[in-house]
Amino acid sequence: MSKPHKLEILLAWLEDNVAMGTEIIFDEGIYSGDVLPAVRAAVELLNMPKAVSHPPPWDAYYTCEAIDSEELSKDEARVWNMAQKYVQDTLQGRLAGKGR
């Protein structure tokens, strides 16, 4: 089972615990509701979309559904995709910048 899938299961489990009022105490003073935002953020980061180029003749422009801007320059798209890869590699336990 992949780490993203495990995190999604953990997220659903924590959300159910909080919704049902059966919070889990992870440590002194740390409850399910306290951990929930961090797990939710990790799941969202793992699902972060890549910037993609438009089809020709507009292939000099890029878009990304996570960014409000309608278009990105090639350099902006490159930086976005590098950041997206770094976050995914880090969260999945791979050394950033090393193969995929």
Short mmCIF file of all heavy atoms in Angstrom, two decimals, residues 6-68:
data_model
loop_
_atom_site.label_atom_id
_atom_site.label_comp_id
_atom_site.label_asym_id
_atom_site.label_seq_id
_atom_site.Cartn_x
_atom_site.Cartn_y
_atom_site.Cartn_z
N LYS A 6 -2.15 5.27 2.47
CA LYS A 6 -2.15 5.14 3.93
C LYS A 6 -2.59 6.45 4.59
O LYS A 6 -3.36 6.44 5.56
CB LYS A 6 -0.77 4.75 4.44
CG LYS A 6 -0.37 3.33 4.08
CD LYS A 6 1.05 3.07 4.54
CE LYS A 6 1.54 1.72 4.08
NZ LYS A 6 2.95 1.49 4.44
N LEU A 7 -2.09 7.57 4.06
CA LEU A 7 -2.48 8.87 4.62
C LEU A 7 -3.96 9.14 4.42
O LEU A 7 -4.62 9.71 5.29
CB LEU A 7 -1.65 10.00 4.00
CG LEU A 7 -0.26 10.21 4.56
CD1 LEU A 7 0.49 11.25 3.73
CD2 LEU A 7 -0.32 10.64 6.01
N GLU A 8 -4.50 8.76 3.26
CA GLU A 8 -5.93 8.96 3.01
C GLU A 8 -6.78 8.12 3.96
O GLU A 8 -7.82 8.57 4.43
CB GLU A 8 -6.26 8.65 1.55
CG GLU A 8 -5.71 9.71 0.60
CD GLU A 8 -5.80 9.34 -0.86
OE1 GLU A 8 -6.28 8.22 -1.18
OE2 GLU A 8 -5.39 10.15 -1.69
N ILE A 9 -6.33 6.90 4.26
CA ILE A 9 -7.03 6.06 5.23
C ILE A 9 -6.96 6.69 6.62
O ILE A 9 -7.97 6.77 7.33
CB ILE A 9 -6.46 4.63 5.23
CG1 ILE A 9 -6.81 3.92 3.92
CG2 ILE A 9 -6.97 3.84 6.44
CD1 ILE A 9 -6.09 2.60 3.73
N LEU A 10 -5.78 7.15 7.00
CA LEU A 10 -5.62 7.81 8.30
C LEU A 10 -6.50 9.05 8.39
O LEU A 10 -7.16 9.29 9.41
CB LEU A 10 -4.15 8.19 8.53
CG LEU A 10 -3.84 8.97 9.80
CD1 LEU A 10 -4.22 8.18 11.04
CD2 LEU A 10 -2.37 9.36 9.83
N LEU A 11 -6.56 9.83 7.32
CA LEU A 11 -7.39 11.03 7.29
C LEU A 11 -8.86 10.68 7.50
O LEU A 11 -9.54 11.29 8.33
CB LEU A 11 -7.20 11.78 5.97
CG LEU A 11 -8.05 13.04 5.77
CD1 LEU A 11 -7.75 14.07 6.83
CD2 LEU A 11 -7.81 13.61 4.38
N ALA A 12 -9.35 9.69 6.77
CA ALA A 12 -10.76 9.28 6.91
C ALA A 12 -11.04 8.78 8.32
O ALA A 12 -12.08 9.10 8.91
CB ALA A 12 -11.10 8.20 5.88
N TRP A 13 -10.12 8.03 8.87
CA TRP A 13 -10.27 7.49 10.22
C TRP A 13 -10.32 8.62 11.25
O TRP A 13 -11.18 8.63 12.13
CB TRP A 13 -9.12 6.53 10.49
CG TRP A 13 -9.13 5.85 11.82
CD1 TRP A 13 -10.08 5.01 12.31
CD2 TRP A 13 -8.12 5.95 12.82
NE1 TRP A 13 -9.72 4.57 13.55
CE2 TRP A 13 -8.52 5.13 13.90
CE3 TRP A 13 -6.91 6.64 12.90
CZ2 TRP A 13 -7.75 5.00 15.05
CZ3 TRP A 13 -6.15 6.49 14.04
CH2 TRP A 13 -6.58 5.69 15.09
N LEU A 14 -9.40 9.59 11.13
CA LEU A 14 -9.38 10.72 12.06
C LEU A 14 -10.65 11.56 11.93
O LEU A 14 -11.22 11.98 12.94
CB LEU A 14 -8.14 11.59 11.83
CG LEU A 14 -6.81 11.00 12.25
CD1 LEU A 14 -5.66 11.88 11.77
CD2 LEU A 14 -6.75 10.81 13.76
N GLU A 15 -11.07 11.82 10.69
CA GLU A 15 -12.30 12.60 10.49
C GLU A 15 -13.50 11.90 11.13
O GLU A 15 -14.33 12.55 11.76
CB GLU A 15 -12.54 12.83 9.00
CG GLU A 15 -11.58 13.82 8.38
CD GLU A 15 -11.70 13.93 6.87
OE1 GLU A 15 -12.21 12.99 6.22
OE2 GLU A 15 -11.27 14.96 6.34
N ASP A 16 -13.57 10.58 10.97
CA ASP A 16 -14.67 9.82 11.59
C ASP A 16 -14.61 9.91 13.11
O ASP A 16 -15.63 10.07 13.78
CB ASP A 16 -14.64 8.36 11.16
CG ASP A 16 -15.11 8.16 9.73
OD1 ASP A 16 -15.71 9.10 9.16
OD2 ASP A 16 -14.89 7.06 9.18
N ASN A 17 -13.42 9.78 13.67
CA ASN A 17 -13.26 9.86 15.13
C ASN A 17 -13.71 11.21 15.66
O ASN A 17 -14.41 11.28 16.67
CB ASN A 17 -11.81 9.60 15.54
CG ASN A 17 -11.48 8.14 15.62
OD1 ASN A 17 -11.88 7.48 16.56
ND2 ASN A 17 -10.79 7.64 14.63
N VAL A 18 -13.32 12.26 14.99
CA VAL A 18 -13.69 13.61 15.43
C VAL A 18 -15.20 13.81 15.27
O VAL A 18 -15.87 14.31 16.17
CB VAL A 18 -12.89 14.68 14.65
CG1 VAL A 18 -13.43 16.07 14.94
CG2 VAL A 18 -11.41 14.59 15.01
N ALA A 19 -15.75 13.39 14.13
CA ALA A 19 -17.19 13.56 13.87
C ALA A 19 -18.05 12.79 14.87
O ALA A 19 -19.11 13.26 15.26
CB ALA A 19 -17.51 13.12 12.44
N MET A 20 -17.58 11.63 15.29
CA MET A 20 -18.35 10.79 16.22
C MET A 20 -18.08 11.14 17.68
O MET A 20 -18.67 10.56 18.58
CB MET A 20 -18.01 9.31 15.98
CG MET A 20 -18.35 8.82 14.59
SD MET A 20 -20.10 8.94 14.20
CE MET A 20 -20.74 7.60 15.14
N GLY A 21 -17.15 12.10 17.90
CA GLY A 21 -16.83 12.49 19.27
C GLY A 21 -16.03 11.45 20.03
O GLY A 21 -16.05 11.42 21.26
N THR A 22 -15.33 10.59 19.31
CA THR A 22 -14.51 9.56 19.94
C THR A 22 -13.03 9.83 19.66
O THR A 22 -12.32 8.98 19.13
CB THR A 22 -14.88 8.16 19.42
OG1 THR A 22 -14.74 8.16 17.99
CG2 THR A 22 -16.28 7.78 19.79
N GLU A 23 -12.60 11.01 20.03
CA GLU A 23 -11.23 11.41 19.72
C GLU A 23 -10.21 10.51 20.40
O GLU A 23 -10.44 9.98 21.48
CB GLU A 23 -11.00 12.86 20.15
CG GLU A 23 -11.74 13.84 19.25
CD GLU A 23 -11.15 15.22 19.33
OE1 GLU A 23 -10.12 15.44 18.68
OE2 GLU A 23 -11.72 16.05 20.03
N ILE A 24 -9.08 10.34 19.74
CA ILE A 24 -7.98 9.54 20.23
C ILE A 24 -6.94 10.48 20.83
O ILE A 24 -6.66 11.54 20.27
CB ILE A 24 -7.35 8.74 19.07
CG1 ILE A 24 -8.40 7.81 18.49
CG2 ILE A 24 -6.12 7.99 19.52
CD1 ILE A 24 -8.04 7.29 17.13
N ILE A 25 -6.37 10.09 21.93
CA ILE A 25 -5.29 10.87 22.54
C ILE A 25 -3.97 10.27 22.04
O ILE A 25 -3.64 9.13 22.36
CB ILE A 25 -5.35 10.83 24.07
CG1 ILE A 25 -6.69 11.35 24.57
CG2 ILE A 25 -4.19 11.62 24.67
CD1 ILE A 25 -6.93 11.15 26.05
N PHE A 26 -3.25 11.04 21.22
CA PHE A 26 -1.98 10.57 20.68
C PHE A 26 -0.84 10.76 21.67
O PHE A 26 0.09 9.98 21.73
CB PHE A 26 -1.64 11.30 19.37
CG PHE A 26 -2.46 10.80 18.22
CD1 PHE A 26 -3.65 11.42 17.87
CD2 PHE A 26 -2.05 9.71 17.48
CE1 PHE A 26 -4.40 10.96 16.81
CE2 PHE A 26 -2.80 9.24 16.42
CZ PHE A 26 -3.98 9.86 16.09
N ASP A 27 -0.91 11.81 22.43
CA ASP A 27 0.10 12.14 23.43
C ASP A 27 -0.58 13.06 24.42
O ASP A 27 -1.71 13.52 24.17
CB ASP A 27 1.31 12.81 22.78
CG ASP A 27 2.56 12.78 23.65
OD1 ASP A 27 2.51 12.20 24.75
OD2 ASP A 27 3.58 13.34 23.21
N GLU A 28 0.07 13.38 25.48
CA GLU A 28 -0.53 14.26 26.47
C GLU A 28 -0.92 15.59 25.83
O GLU A 28 -0.08 16.33 25.35
CB GLU A 28 0.45 14.51 27.61
CG GLU A 28 -0.16 15.23 28.78
CD GLU A 28 0.80 15.32 29.95
OE1 GLU A 28 1.55 14.38 30.19
OE2 GLU A 28 0.80 16.38 30.58
N GLY A 29 -2.21 15.85 25.78
CA GLY A 29 -2.72 17.09 25.21
C GLY A 29 -2.82 17.13 23.70
O GLY A 29 -3.12 18.16 23.12
N ILE A 30 -2.54 16.02 23.00
CA ILE A 30 -2.63 15.99 21.53
C ILE A 30 -3.70 14.98 21.15
O ILE A 30 -3.57 13.79 21.37
CB ILE A 30 -1.28 15.62 20.88
CG1 ILE A 30 -0.21 16.63 21.27
CG2 ILE A 30 -1.44 15.55 19.35
CD1 ILE A 30 1.16 16.30 20.78
N TYR A 31 -4.80 15.50 20.57
CA TYR A 31 -5.96 14.68 20.23
C TYR A 31 -6.12 14.57 18.72
O TYR A 31 -5.45 15.27 17.95
CB TYR A 31 -7.22 15.31 20.84
CG TYR A 31 -7.18 15.37 22.34
CD1 TYR A 31 -6.64 16.48 22.98
CD2 TYR A 31 -7.67 14.33 23.11
CE1 TYR A 31 -6.59 16.54 24.37
CE2 TYR A 31 -7.63 14.38 24.49
CZ TYR A 31 -7.08 15.48 25.12
OH TYR A 31 -7.03 15.53 26.48
N SER A 32 -7.03 13.72 18.28
CA SER A 32 -7.30 13.51 16.85
C SER A 32 -7.52 14.82 16.12
O SER A 32 -6.99 15.03 15.03
CB SER A 32 -8.55 12.65 16.65
OG SER A 32 -8.52 11.49 17.40
N GLY A 33 -8.31 15.71 16.71
CA GLY A 33 -8.61 16.99 16.09
C GLY A 33 -7.38 17.86 15.90
O GLY A 33 -7.33 18.68 14.99
N ASP A 34 -6.38 17.66 16.76
CA ASP A 34 -5.13 18.44 16.64
C ASP A 34 -4.27 17.92 15.49
O ASP A 34 -3.54 18.68 14.85
CB ASP A 34 -4.32 18.36 17.94
CG ASP A 34 -5.09 18.89 19.14
OD1 ASP A 34 -5.86 19.87 18.98
OD2 ASP A 34 -4.93 18.32 20.23
N VAL A 35 -4.32 16.62 15.24
CA VAL A 35 -3.51 15.99 14.20
C VAL A 35 -4.17 16.12 12.83
O VAL A 35 -3.49 16.15 11.80
CB VAL A 35 -3.29 14.49 14.56
CG1 VAL A 35 -2.53 13.77 13.48
CG2 VAL A 35 -2.58 14.37 15.90
N LEU A 36 -5.47 16.23 12.81
CA LEU A 36 -6.25 16.25 11.57
C LEU A 36 -5.77 17.28 10.54
O LEU A 36 -5.57 16.93 9.37
CB LEU A 36 -7.72 16.45 11.89
CG LEU A 36 -8.74 16.24 10.80
CD1 LEU A 36 -8.63 14.85 10.20
CD2 LEU A 36 -10.14 16.47 11.34
N PRO A 37 -5.52 18.55 10.90
CA PRO A 37 -5.07 19.52 9.88
C PRO A 37 -3.74 19.14 9.23
O PRO A 37 -3.57 19.33 8.02
CB PRO A 37 -4.94 20.83 10.66
CG PRO A 37 -5.81 20.67 11.86
CD PRO A 37 -5.76 19.21 12.19
N ALA A 38 -2.82 18.58 9.98
CA ALA A 38 -1.52 18.20 9.42
C ALA A 38 -1.67 17.03 8.44
O ALA A 38 -1.06 17.02 7.37
CB ALA A 38 -0.55 17.83 10.53
N VAL A 39 -2.51 16.06 8.79
CA VAL A 39 -2.73 14.92 7.90
C VAL A 39 -3.46 15.38 6.64
O VAL A 39 -3.12 14.98 5.53
CB VAL A 39 -3.51 13.79 8.62
CG1 VAL A 39 -3.85 12.67 7.66
CG2 VAL A 39 -2.69 13.26 9.80
N ARG A 40 -4.45 16.24 6.80
CA ARG A 40 -5.18 16.78 5.65
C ARG A 40 -4.23 17.53 4.70
O ARG A 40 -4.29 17.36 3.48
CB ARG A 40 -6.30 17.70 6.12
CG ARG A 40 -7.24 18.12 5.01
CD ARG A 40 -8.40 18.95 5.53
NE ARG A 40 -9.34 18.10 6.26
CZ ARG A 40 -9.78 18.34 7.48
NH1 ARG A 40 -9.39 19.41 8.13
NH2 ARG A 40 -10.63 17.53 8.07
N ALA A 41 -3.32 18.33 5.27
CA ALA A 41 -2.36 19.08 4.46
C ALA A 41 -1.41 18.14 3.72
O ALA A 41 -1.09 18.37 2.56
CB ALA A 41 -1.57 20.04 5.35
N ALA A 42 -0.97 17.07 4.39
CA ALA A 42 -0.08 16.11 3.74
C ALA A 42 -0.77 15.44 2.56
O ALA A 42 -0.17 15.27 1.49
CB ALA A 42 0.39 15.07 4.75
N VAL A 43 -2.03 15.07 2.72
CA VAL A 43 -2.79 14.45 1.62
C VAL A 43 -2.93 15.43 0.46
O VAL A 43 -2.72 15.07 -0.70
CB VAL A 43 -4.18 13.97 2.11
CG1 VAL A 43 -5.07 13.59 0.94
CG2 VAL A 43 -4.03 12.80 3.07
N GLU A 44 -3.23 16.68 0.76
CA GLU A 44 -3.38 17.69 -0.30
C GLU A 44 -2.06 17.91 -1.03
O GLU A 44 -2.03 18.06 -2.25
CB GLU A 44 -3.90 19.00 0.29
CG GLU A 44 -5.35 18.92 0.69
CD GLU A 44 -5.85 20.20 1.36
OE1 GLU A 44 -5.18 21.24 1.25
OE2 GLU A 44 -6.91 20.14 2.00
N LEU A 45 -0.94 17.95 -0.30
CA LEU A 45 0.36 18.14 -0.93
C LEU A 45 0.71 16.97 -1.84
O LEU A 45 1.26 17.16 -2.92
CB LEU A 45 1.45 18.34 0.12
CG LEU A 45 1.45 19.69 0.81
CD1 LEU A 45 2.44 19.69 1.97
CD2 LEU A 45 1.80 20.80 -0.17
N LEU A 46 0.40 15.76 -1.41
CA LEU A 46 0.68 14.60 -2.26
C LEU A 46 -0.16 14.59 -3.53
O LEU A 46 0.24 14.02 -4.54
CB LEU A 46 0.45 13.30 -1.49
CG LEU A 46 1.56 12.95 -0.50
CD1 LEU A 46 1.14 11.79 0.37
CD2 LEU A 46 2.85 12.63 -1.23
N ASN A 47 -1.30 15.23 -3.48
CA ASN A 47 -2.18 15.30 -4.65
C ASN A 47 -2.02 16.61 -5.43
O ASN A 47 -2.83 16.91 -6.30
CB ASN A 47 -3.64 15.13 -4.21
CG ASN A 47 -3.91 13.75 -3.67
OD1 ASN A 47 -3.36 12.77 -4.16
ND2 ASN A 47 -4.73 13.66 -2.64
N MET A 48 -0.96 17.36 -5.13
CA MET A 48 -0.73 18.65 -5.77
C MET A 48 -0.53 18.45 -7.28
O MET A 48 0.31 17.65 -7.69
CB MET A 48 0.54 19.27 -5.15
CG MET A 48 0.76 20.71 -5.46
SD MET A 48 2.05 21.38 -4.37
CE MET A 48 3.45 21.31 -5.44
N PRO A 49 -1.31 19.13 -8.10
CA PRO A 49 -1.20 18.93 -9.55
C PRO A 49 0.04 19.59 -10.16
O PRO A 49 0.61 20.51 -9.59
CB PRO A 49 -2.46 19.61 -10.09
CG PRO A 49 -2.77 20.65 -9.09
CD PRO A 49 -2.33 20.10 -7.75
N LYS A 50 0.44 19.08 -11.31
CA LYS A 50 1.57 19.65 -12.04
C LYS A 50 1.08 20.73 -13.00
O LYS A 50 -0.07 20.72 -13.41
CB LYS A 50 2.27 18.55 -12.85
CG LYS A 50 2.93 17.49 -11.99
CD LYS A 50 3.66 16.51 -12.84
CE LYS A 50 5.04 17.06 -13.07
NZ LYS A 50 5.97 16.12 -13.65
N ALA A 51 1.98 21.64 -13.36
CA ALA A 51 1.69 22.62 -14.40
C ALA A 51 1.89 21.94 -15.75
O ALA A 51 2.85 21.21 -15.94
CB ALA A 51 2.61 23.82 -14.27
N VAL A 52 0.98 22.15 -16.66
CA VAL A 52 1.06 21.52 -17.98
C VAL A 52 0.97 22.58 -19.07
O VAL A 52 0.35 23.62 -18.90
CB VAL A 52 -0.06 20.47 -18.18
CG1 VAL A 52 0.12 19.31 -17.24
CG2 VAL A 52 -1.43 21.08 -18.00
N SER A 53 1.60 22.29 -20.20
CA SER A 53 1.58 23.25 -21.30
C SER A 53 0.30 23.11 -22.10
O SER A 53 -0.33 22.06 -22.13
CB SER A 53 2.79 23.06 -22.22
OG SER A 53 2.73 21.80 -22.83
N HIS A 54 -0.08 24.21 -22.74
CA HIS A 54 -1.22 24.20 -23.64
C HIS A 54 -0.81 23.47 -24.92
O HIS A 54 0.35 23.38 -25.25
CB HIS A 54 -1.62 25.64 -24.00
CG HIS A 54 -2.26 26.39 -22.88
ND1 HIS A 54 -3.59 26.27 -22.56
CD2 HIS A 54 -1.75 27.27 -21.99
CE1 HIS A 54 -3.87 27.05 -21.54
NE2 HIS A 54 -2.76 27.67 -21.17
N PRO A 55 -1.78 22.98 -25.68
CA PRO A 55 -1.44 22.36 -26.98
C PRO A 55 -1.00 23.44 -27.97
O PRO A 55 -1.34 24.61 -27.81
CB PRO A 55 -2.75 21.71 -27.41
CG PRO A 55 -3.82 22.36 -26.62
CD PRO A 55 -3.19 22.88 -25.37
N PRO A 56 -0.22 23.06 -29.00
CA PRO A 56 0.20 24.03 -30.01
C PRO A 56 -1.01 24.70 -30.62
O PRO A 56 -2.06 24.08 -30.72
CB PRO A 56 0.93 23.17 -31.04
CG PRO A 56 1.35 21.95 -30.29
CD PRO A 56 0.31 21.74 -29.23
N PRO A 57 -0.95 25.91 -31.04
CA PRO A 57 0.22 26.79 -31.11
C PRO A 57 0.48 27.58 -29.83
O PRO A 57 1.30 28.48 -29.82
CB PRO A 57 -0.13 27.72 -32.27
CG PRO A 57 -1.62 27.86 -32.15
CD PRO A 57 -2.11 26.51 -31.66
N TRP A 58 -0.21 27.25 -28.74
CA TRP A 58 -0.06 28.02 -27.49
C TRP A 58 0.82 27.30 -26.48
O TRP A 58 0.72 27.51 -25.29
CB TRP A 58 -1.44 28.29 -26.87
CG TRP A 58 -2.32 29.06 -27.79
CD1 TRP A 58 -2.27 30.39 -28.03
CD2 TRP A 58 -3.35 28.55 -28.61
NE1 TRP A 58 -3.21 30.75 -28.96
CE2 TRP A 58 -3.90 29.63 -29.34
CE3 TRP A 58 -3.88 27.28 -28.83
CZ2 TRP A 58 -4.94 29.48 -30.24
CZ3 TRP A 58 -4.92 27.13 -29.74
CH2 TRP A 58 -5.43 28.22 -30.43
N ASP A 59 1.71 26.42 -26.96
CA ASP A 59 2.49 25.60 -26.06
C ASP A 59 3.56 26.37 -25.27
O ASP A 59 4.24 25.79 -24.43
CB ASP A 59 3.11 24.41 -26.79
CG ASP A 59 3.90 24.80 -28.01
OD1 ASP A 59 3.76 25.94 -28.48
OD2 ASP A 59 4.65 23.94 -28.51
N ALA A 60 3.69 27.66 -25.50
CA ALA A 60 4.60 28.48 -24.69
C ALA A 60 3.95 28.86 -23.36
O ALA A 60 4.62 29.39 -22.48
CB ALA A 60 5.01 29.74 -25.45
N TYR A 61 2.68 28.57 -23.20
CA TYR A 61 1.95 28.92 -21.99
C TYR A 61 1.58 27.67 -21.20
O TYR A 61 1.28 26.64 -21.77
CB TYR A 61 0.68 29.71 -22.34
CG TYR A 61 0.97 30.98 -23.07
CD1 TYR A 61 0.85 31.05 -24.45
CD2 TYR A 61 1.40 32.11 -22.38
CE1 TYR A 61 1.15 32.22 -25.13
CE2 TYR A 61 1.69 33.28 -23.05
CZ TYR A 61 1.57 33.32 -24.42
OH TYR A 61 1.86 34.48 -25.10
N TYR A 62 1.61 27.81 -19.91
CA TYR A 62 1.33 26.69 -19.00
C TYR A 62 0.20 27.06 -18.06
O TYR A 62 0.00 28.23 -17.76
CB TYR A 62 2.57 26.35 -18.17
CG TYR A 62 3.69 25.75 -18.97
CD1 TYR A 62 4.44 26.52 -19.84
CD2 TYR A 62 3.99 24.41 -18.86
CE1 TYR A 62 5.47 25.96 -20.58
CE2 TYR A 62 5.02 23.84 -19.60
CZ TYR A 62 5.75 24.62 -20.45
OH TYR A 62 6.76 24.07 -21.19
N THR A 63 -0.52 26.05 -17.57
CA THR A 63 -1.55 26.28 -16.57
C THR A 63 -1.43 25.22 -15.48
O THR A 63 -0.82 24.16 -15.68
CB THR A 63 -2.97 26.18 -17.17
OG1 THR A 63 -3.12 24.90 -17.77
CG2 THR A 63 -3.23 27.26 -18.18
N CYS A 64 -2.03 25.54 -14.34
CA CYS A 64 -2.09 24.59 -13.24
C CYS A 64 -3.40 24.83 -12.52
O CYS A 64 -3.70 25.95 -12.14
CB CYS A 64 -0.91 24.77 -12.30
SG CYS A 64 -0.94 23.59 -10.95
N GLU A 65 -4.17 23.77 -12.31
CA GLU A 65 -5.49 23.93 -11.70
C GLU A 65 -5.41 24.44 -10.27
O GLU A 65 -6.38 24.96 -9.74
CB GLU A 65 -6.25 22.61 -11.75
CG GLU A 65 -5.59 21.50 -10.97
CD GLU A 65 -6.23 20.15 -11.20
OE1 GLU A 65 -6.29 19.71 -12.35
OE2 GLU A 65 -6.67 19.57 -10.21
N ALA A 66 -4.25 24.32 -9.61
CA ALA A 66 -4.13 24.76 -8.22
C ALA A 66 -3.80 26.25 -8.09
O ALA A 66 -3.83 26.80 -7.01
CB ALA A 66 -3.05 23.95 -7.51
N ILE A 67 -3.47 26.89 -9.21
CA ILE A 67 -3.08 28.30 -9.19
C ILE A 67 -4.18 29.11 -9.85
O ILE A 67 -4.65 28.77 -10.93
CB ILE A 67 -1.74 28.50 -9.93
CG1 ILE A 67 -0.65 27.64 -9.29
CG2 ILE A 67 -1.33 29.96 -9.93
CD1 ILE A 67 0.65 27.65 -10.04
N ASP A 68 -4.57 30.20 -9.20
CA ASP A 68 -5.65 31.03 -9.74
C ASP A 68 -5.30 31.69 -11.06
O ASP A 68 -6.17 31.96 -11.86
CB ASP A 68 -6.03 32.12 -8.72
CG ASP A 68 -6.73 31.52 -7.51
OD1 ASP A 68 -7.30 30.42 -7.61
OD2 ASP A 68 -6.71 32.17 -6.46
#
